[in-house]
Amino acid sequence: MTRIIKRGFLLLATIISVITLTAQGRIQQCINTNWQFHKGDIAGYPDKETSATTWEKTSLPHTWNTTDVLDDEPGYYRGIGWYRKTIFIPSAWNHKEIYLHFGAAQQVATVYVNGKLAGTHTGGYTAFNCRITDLLIHGNDSVTANEISVKVDNSHNENIPPLSADFTFFGGIYRDVSLVALNPVHFDAENDASNGVFITTPQVSAVNATVDIKGQFCNQSSQARRLLLVSRIADRAGKLVGEQQQHITLQAGERYPFTTQFAAIQNPHLWNIEDPYLYHVTTTVTDADNQQLLDEVSNPLGLRWFSFDAAQGFFLNGKHYKLMGASRHQDYKDISNALPDAMHVRDVQLLKEMGGNFLRVAHYPQDPAVLEACDRLGIVASVEIPVVNRITENDTFANNCLHMQEEMIRQYCNHPSIVIWAYMNEVLLSPRYNATDTVRRTLYYQHVAALAKRIDSLTRKEDPSRYTMIPCHADYNVYVKAGLVRIPQIVGWNLYSGWYSGELPDFARTLDRHHKELTDKPLIVTEYGADADIRLHNLTTPQRFDKTVEYATHFHDVYYEAIASRPFVTGGALWNLADFNSEGRAEANPHINTKGITTIDRKLKDSYLFYQSKLVTTPFLRIGSRAWVLRSGIAEDSATLTCTQSVDIYTNQGTPVILLLNGVSLGTVTPVNGVAGFKVPFRDGINQLEAVASSNGKTYKDMVEVRFLLQPANLASTVLPFKELNISLGDQRQFSDEPLQQVWLPEQPYHPGSWGYVGGQPFVMKGNKRQSYGSDKNILGTDYDAIYETQRVGIRQFKLDVPDGDYEITLLFAELLSAVKHEALVYNLDNNKTKEDTITRSFDVLINGEPFINHLGSDNYLQPEQAYSAKTKWHAGNGQGITISFNAIKGETILNGLQVRRVD
Ligand code: GCB
Ligand code: CA
């Protein structure tokens, strides 16, 4: 039995391994605990070490970039880090072959044992083995201490993909590390860190299935051995359904490649999406003389057949499936990429619960736990190597790509869930050489195509049973011209019309164009999505690039319909299952790409519920915007004291939905296209919403509690006394801040009795076609980027007709015009920003005519992209309310946000 023991169970592992040593072939111990880490290089180490070197205790998985990728300093540490750990080798292992197995280290690892070089590995997303047998010290004691040191270098390297990408390249040993003790006779441990045994199913039908096993084992002992190779297939219940045996005599040092063919399995229990049935294959090698088990490897076996068709899409076991699902990155809030397995599994579970059947493991191979979960849960998968945006035109880069592809295939090919091997994500997005240098550009494209061909043919040779795919970006013509759409068996399209560029209907146009022009090429929408910050809402005018939940949901609605209604579209992997780290990003959530349909800590956004309502086959009823539990708005009527806002109910039941507010029915709505839309008259305080629908004699319910902060229309109201107001100037959205239980409302013009601005206009970035108000900059010194990014320019006054009393007033400013150069994000297609100049401005701020801030401007607090806020107490008297005036001295006045709170 292969034994994999995870962190925390180390002690147990040691005990078990001692007890069962003779019964089992190999010992594999996960050694994640008790490591030491040093950030930076150490001169002379591991030969010698100065006592001045500081080591911190850590356990694996680990990355050194968790905090610096989120701070206000651009960039993050991409350099060297050292890890070390003492391992204790039992004397019983004296004649064993000892390996270290690394799940992954980003991105070049050099492994030493007792100060001597054991091996190196290039590439941050695949596993590798290091043979350490000859470097170990064996003493006379029952166990002997040995020192492992690992240098991990995460520096940018032009020869190692990825070169550039919209995600963070966290450095460190961020997957499990195991110590493996093998008998001298063992399955190949030197084949790209695979388990040395490869399973294929040459022919599968509902009637019967053939299974072939290929592998290699070796005899590292000093004498010839008579051996017995046995492969067994067992069903899920453990019942034997096939067995093959072979006797071999291996000379000392000899290797033996084997192929085992099983008699066809009759009436196989097929693996499919609804019933992901797994058989298990165990391959053992035993000493034929004394029956001792020498090694054993076990693999999952899924019996299925599949095909992709340019006109009709995907078929699994002869049945058509629309592949719908998500792409996924491997990180999580506060722990970056150093996830325990359970969190990887949870993501696949989230996808399954969404009704998804397809996972694009993007943009690199992820933890084996992900694919194990896909096998177990019935999720069809595509896996790819991290060649993103561009290549380097040399042999070292090409060989690294090819080697990564080979490692990926050999390490993961036994997972029945995998149907596609992909490579080169949007590889023409950021080409080298200027467009004007057509000769060199053309040559570059030829080099890209040549490399694609090499990767593609390697893939088909390694694994003819899967399909190959290149995911391309929207620049259709370039991919056609470069010939990239002809090389793989499937073309993936990453499309963002109506987000970065163009308009929403362009999406369907691109699909139709592919269908018309590339008639024989199956197509998958490998990405589509829109950013959404769950704090930002706009129920009336959601628009492109506003980061509201509402626009993102609308975007998904349009895209989903286009995919679902086109039979030739194999399916879609939305971008992305969860928000993820991308250090270079700015905008409302700096350093995070918020195109997830869940947040970075996996809170469900509305778009997730939208997909559930479309894809889940069991009865489904959910209150949309169930994550938006802190809302605000202005009372529309001083008598009833309510504010009406819409709430959508998602359901896959066609039957009418009733919505109750605090137990009282708001009526019945028959869902259209899976959505029942209600207008809810929210009251101040807690509002209990309950949606109810019945079908086939069963009743389905969902409940949400919304806290509503109702604002008086007239600030002098005695029935709803003024408490506080938070306004985002230049903004059309509502910003819900749960930790502080505050809601920021969009600006409005002043009208008597109420509040609002006088004069000015919203800040709009010049020369950009995609964002109709606000800036996309990372505002430093605040977590409230969304508030600071919008601004009213040329404002003369902000007036609040509050009753007499004591108030706290806070004004928020940020200079949004800046000459600071930022590296352009390559994904921001169509973002032709004009260069901004440093601006000089200066103005006075007065409260009811009294000076508050003098000469506020670019020569003092208003530094570009920097948050500045000023707070004061103010007594409003004589029925005069509060009038904040902005008097320009130089340039125009600005105001980004304002908070007024009654404090008496
Ligand atoms: C893409 C890329 C992906 C990005 C995504 C985005 O096309 O393939 O890596 O994260 O767009 O959000 O811009
Ligand atoms: Ca604002």
Side-chain angles (χ1 to χ4, degrees):
M1 195 184 81
T2 307
R3 173 162 289 132
I4 300 173
I5 296 143
K6 290 284 168 177
R7 99 195 115 260
F9 294 100
L10 194 62
L11 186 66
L12 187 66
T14 319
I15 296 165
I16 293 172
S17 59
V18 171
I19 295 168
T20 56
L21 198 61
T22 50
Q24 69 183 80
R26 62 170 65 187
I27 296 164
Q28 184 156 348
Q29 302 172 345
C30 186
I31 51 165
N32 282 354
T33 51
N34 257 317
W35 286 75
Q36 290 188 315
F37 170 67
H38 173 83
K39 185 172 161 187
D41 203 359
I42 309 167
Y45 186 76
D47 276 350
K48 56 179 183 349
E49 186 196 355
T50 64
S51 54
T53 310
T54 50
W55 293 89
E56 66 188 70
K57 283 198 167 178
T58 189
S59 57
L60 306 181
H62 174 266
T63 174
W64 60 69
N65 290 120
T66 299
T67 48
D68 66 353
V69 296
L70 293 173
D71 63 19
D72 274 348
E73 294 298 314
Y76 53 105
Y77 181 66
R78 295 203 64 193
I80 292 170
W82 277 96
Y83 293 85
R84 71 175 184 190
K85 176 184 172 61
T86 307
I87 53 172
F88 294 92
I89 303 296
S91 55
W93 290 9
N94 282 5
H95 301 291
K96 288 191 182 282
E97 283 291 332
I98 317 293
Y99 282 83
L100 287 171
H101 176 83
F102 290 81
Q106 171 73 19
Q107 75 174 343
V108 176
T110 313
V111 182
Y112 299 85
V113 173
N114 300 321
K116 298 207 183 64
L117 182 67
T120 61
H121 182 259
T122 298
Y125 303 94
T126 39
F128 57 97
N129 282 351
C130 266
R131 181 175 177 272
I132 62 171
T133 317
D134 303 333
L135 305 175
L136 291 172
I137 302 162
H138 299 281
N140 295 327
D141 298 335
S142 52
V143 291
T144 309
N146 284 260
E147 190 84 352
I148 316 171
S149 317
V150 187
K151 176 176 162 185
V152 181
D153 188 348
N154 188 29
S155 311
H156 175 86
N157 186 327
E158 278 294 297
N159 291 328
I160 308 172
L163 300 174
S164 113
D166 181 24
F167 58 95
T168 303
F169 310 147
F170 296 100
I173 306 180
Y174 70 94
R175 286 188 197 150
D176 298 340
V177 176
S178 299
L179 184 61
V180 187
L182 302 167
N183 285 312
V185 174
H186 58 263
F187 292 105
D188 201 351
E190 310 245 345
N191 189 350
D192 285 334
S194 67
N195 68 24
V197 174
F198 304 97
I199 299 169
T200 52
T201 53
Q203 187 275 322
V204 181
S205 74
V207 181
N208 54 35
T210 58
V211 178
D212 286 2
I213 297 179
K214 278 199 173 67
Q216 175 165 280
F217 60 91
C218 56
N219 175 13
Q220 304 274 80
S221 70
S222 52
Q223 79 245 43
R225 303 284 290 264
R226 291 194 336 115
L227 302 167
L228 176 64
L229 174 71
V230 181
S231 289
R232 292 190 182 91
I233 302 177
D235 68 10
R236 183 140 69 190
K239 199 174 135 245
L240 198 65
V241 295
E243 179 173 296
Q244 291 292 319
Q245 302 203 354
Q246 209 183 335
H247 283 274
I248 310 110
T249 299
L250 270 198
Q251 300 306 317
E254 209 183 342
R255 297 181 161 267
Y256 183 75
F258 61 89
T259 303
T260 305
Q261 290 179 328
F262 281 85
I265 299 172
Q266 303 302 319
N267 301 318
H269 192 149
L270 299 176
W271 183 93
N272 66 37
I273 287 162
E274 299 81 17
D275 177 20
Y277 188 91
L278 292 176
Y279 291 85
H280 279 278
V281 179
T282 0
T283 315
T284 58
V285 57
T286 309
D287 188 308
D289 293 321
N290 64 12
Q291 272 37 269
Q292 193 200 351
L293 175 67
L294 298 172
D295 200 7
E296 174 173 317
V297 161
S298 130
N299 279 297
L301 168 67
L303 298 174
R304 82 282 183 265
W305 75 98
F306 59 87
S307 61
F308 289 89
D309 179 84
Q312 299 176 69
F314 180 69
F315 291 83
L316 179 63
N317 304 330
K319 182 177 164 195
H320 178 260
Y321 287 90
K322 192 83 170 185
L323 292 182
M324 282 308 303
S327 301
R328 178 209 185 237
H329 270 298
Q330 62 181 7
D331 58 316
Y332 193 89
K333 187 180 164 65
D334 298 336
I335 52 171
S336 308
N337 61 349
L339 270 65
D341 289 354
M343 290 173 109
H344 293 297
V345 174
R346 177 192 180 196
D347 278 356
V348 184
Q349 192 84 42
L350 270 174
L351 179 64
K352 186 77 184 177
E353 283 162 16
M354 185 187 93
N357 58 15
F358 181 48
L359 180 68
R360 175 177 173 228
V361 180
H363 294 307
Y364 41 77
Q366 298 180 6
D367 198 289
V370 173
L371 279 313
E372 283 161 23
C374 289
D375 292 347
R376 212 167 40 237
L377 297 173
I379 298 282
V380 168
S382 162
V383 191
E384 65 201 46
I385 54 163
V387 181
V388 184
N389 294 357
R390 53 160 58 188
I391 67 157
T392 300
E393 299 156 277
N394 68 33
D395 286 346
T396 316
F397 184 86
N399 289 335
N400 282 335
C401 296
L402 292 162
H403 188 225
M404 282 178 191
Q405 189 82 355
E406 182 188 285
E407 286 180 315
M408 169 178 79
I409 296 170
R410 295 189 185 177
Q411 290 171 18
Y412 295 84
C413 64
N414 290 337
H415 291 286
S417 52
I418 297 174
V419 296
I420 298 169
W421 299 121
Y423 56 92
M424 287 191 169
N425 180 73
E426 308 196 345
V427 69
L428 303 182
L429 185 70
S430 119
R432 295 177 190 270
Y433 312 105
N434 286 334
T436 48
D437 190 352
T438 44
V439 175
R440 194 58 189 85
R441 233 326 145 87
T442 307
L443 184 62
Y444 176 77
Y445 287 158
Q446 285 165 3
H447 287 150
V448 173
L451 179 57
K453 276 188 196 140
R454 289 179 70 190
I455 302 176
D456 206 86
S457 52
L458 173 130
T459 310
R460 296 193 202 199
K461 197 168 128 259
E462 281 282 323
D463 184 358
S465 75
R466 265 76 173 216
Y467 285 67
T468 60
M469 177 171 80
I470 296 185
C472 311
H473 79 278
D475 207 341
Y476 187 98
N477 292 330
V478 178
Y479 287 88
V480 172
K481 213 174 116 213
L484 286 187
V485 295
R486 289 282 161 213
I487 297 167
Q489 290 160 292
I490 300 171
V491 170
W493 289 109
N494 299 347
L495 299 174
Y496 294 88
S497 317
W499 185 252
Y500 292 121
S501 59
E503 48 184 64
L504 290 168
D506 292 338
F507 171 61
R509 290 181 197 125
T510 308
L511 302 178
D512 293 338
R513 179 166 178 207
H514 173 118
H515 185 49
K516 204 163 142 243
E517 296 175 10
L518 304 169
T519 43
D520 59 344
K521 211 39 95 180
L523 101 83
I524 298 182
V525 185
T526 30
E527 286 180 27
Y528 63 99
D531 286 86
D533 177 336
I534 48 155
R535 300 169 302 179
L536 289 169
H537 293 277
N538 186 335
L539 287 166
T540 47
T541 52
Q543 49 197 297
R544 181 177 161 196
F545 248 87
D546 67 3
K547 309 289 166 85
T548 62
V549 167
E550 289 70 27
Y551 184 79
T553 311
H554 174 61
F555 179 102
H556 280 285
D557 194 354
V558 173
Y559 273 61
Y560 175 74
E561 280 316 310
I563 294 170
S565 60
R566 284 172 174 71
F568 64 86
V569 178
T570 303
L574 62 89
W575 190 260
N576 191 287
L577 182 66
D579 293 352
F580 59 90
N581 279 271
S582 179
E583 198 273 341
R585 283 199 167 252
E587 306 169 7
N589 302 74
H591 317 299
I592 307 287
N593 182 318
T594 51
K595 292 194 191 68
I597 55 166
T598 67
T599 61
I600 195 160
D601 50 356
R602 277 46 171 184
K603 289 196 194 79
L604 309 183
K605 299 186 189 175
D606 289 14
S607 39
Y608 180 95
L609 299 177
F610 165 81
Y611 282 104
Q612 276 192 313
S613 74
K614 298 289 176 198
L615 303 174
V616 163
T617 48
T618 50
F620 178 83
L621 176 87
R622 288 291 242 185
I623 297 173
S625 65
R626 51 173 12 265
W628 187 13
V629 291
L630 180 70
R631 292 186 179 214
S632 183
I634 301 169
E636 59 242 333
D637 175 337
S638 56
T640 51
L641 288 180
T642 55
C643 172
T644 302
Q645 291 182 356
S646 43
V647 170
D648 288 342
I649 314 299
Y650 294 118
T651 177
N652 59 5
Q653 304 294 291
T655 49
V657 179
I658 305 168
L659 188 66
L660 305 157
L661 172 63
N662 296 330
V664 180
S665 169
L666 296 176
T668 301
V669 173
T670 304
V672 179
N673 207 6
V675 180
F678 285 87
K679 296 274 178 238
V680 176
F682 285 102
R683 293 175 210 165
D684 194 42
I686 297 295
N687 294 257
Q688 276 182 342
L689 290 175
E690 185 177 8
V692 186
S694 305
S695 73
N696 296 328
K698 281 205 177 130
T699 303
Y700 305 98
K701 289 185 182 175
D702 189 29
M703 242 181 126
V704 166
E705 245 182 39
V706 177
R707 193 167 133 83
F708 202 92
L709 309 176
L710 189 67
Q711 288 294 343
N714 186 323
L715 301 192
S717 167
T718 47
V719 271
L720 188 64
F722 176 88
K723 284 189 228 136
E724 71 167 46
L725 196 60
N726 309 294
I727 306 299
S728 177
L729 276 297
D731 209 341
Q732 297 176 20
R733 307 161 301 182
Q734 178 167 133
F735 179 95
S736 176
D737 181 7
E738 277 199 55
L740 271 58
Q741 288 289 298
Q742 290 180 342
V743 177
W744 296 71
L745 291 177
E747 62 175 14
Q748 64 175 19
Y750 169 74
H751 54 270
S754 181
W755 53 269
Y757 62 77
V758 179
Q761 63 284 322
F763 172 88
V764 178
M765 274 189 294
K766 288 219 171 57
N768 99 92
K769 291 192 231 150
R770 55 172 172 74
Q771 193 170 326
S772 48
Y773 58 89
S775 156
D776 61 0
K777 295 207 165 72
N778 172 7
I779 308 301
L780 308 180
T782 179
D783 289 334
Y784 292 82
D785 297 76
I787 307 295
Y788 281 100
E789 282 168 341
T790 59
Q791 176 187 73
R792 197 151 187 93
V793 186
I795 184 169
R796 281 189 284 117
Q797 289 184 327
F798 198 97
K799 287 170 77 72
L800 304 103
D801 292 345
V802 288
D804 289 357
D806 293 337
Y807 293 89
E808 181 189 84
I809 302 172
T810 312
L811 302 180
L812 276 56
F813 304 92
E815 180 55 77
L816 300 178
L817 293 173
S818 147
V820 179
K821 280 217 174 62
H822 297 282
E823 211 181 305
L825 256 192
V826 286
Y827 301 91
N828 283 349
L829 308 174
D830 210 16
N831 182 27
N832 310 313
K833 259 195 276 176
T834 42
K835 199 178 153 293
E836 292 163 2
D837 294 322
T838 328
I839 187 108
T840 345
R841 69 168 97 237
S842 167
F843 54 93
D844 288 335
V845 183
L846 300 86
I847 304 177
N848 289 5
E850 303 279 337
F852 173 38
I853 316 173
N854 280 334
H855 282 268
L856 177 61
S858 29
D859 54 2
N860 48 71
Y861 295 116
L862 290 187
Q863 296 309 309
E865 308 176 27
Q866 179 69 48
Y868 169 68
S869 85
K871 184 161 81 178
T872 192
K873 290 256 167 67
W874 185 259
H875 178 75
N878 306 325
Q880 293 200 334
I882 297 172
T883 298
I884 306 163
S885 305
F886 303 83
N887 297 342
I889 300 164
K890 202 176 207 176
E892 289 184 290
T893 60
I894 54 168
L895 179 65
N896 299 53
L898 165 142
Q899 296 181 284
V900 176
R901 201 156 66 86
R902 180 138 191 179
V903 289
D904 57 1

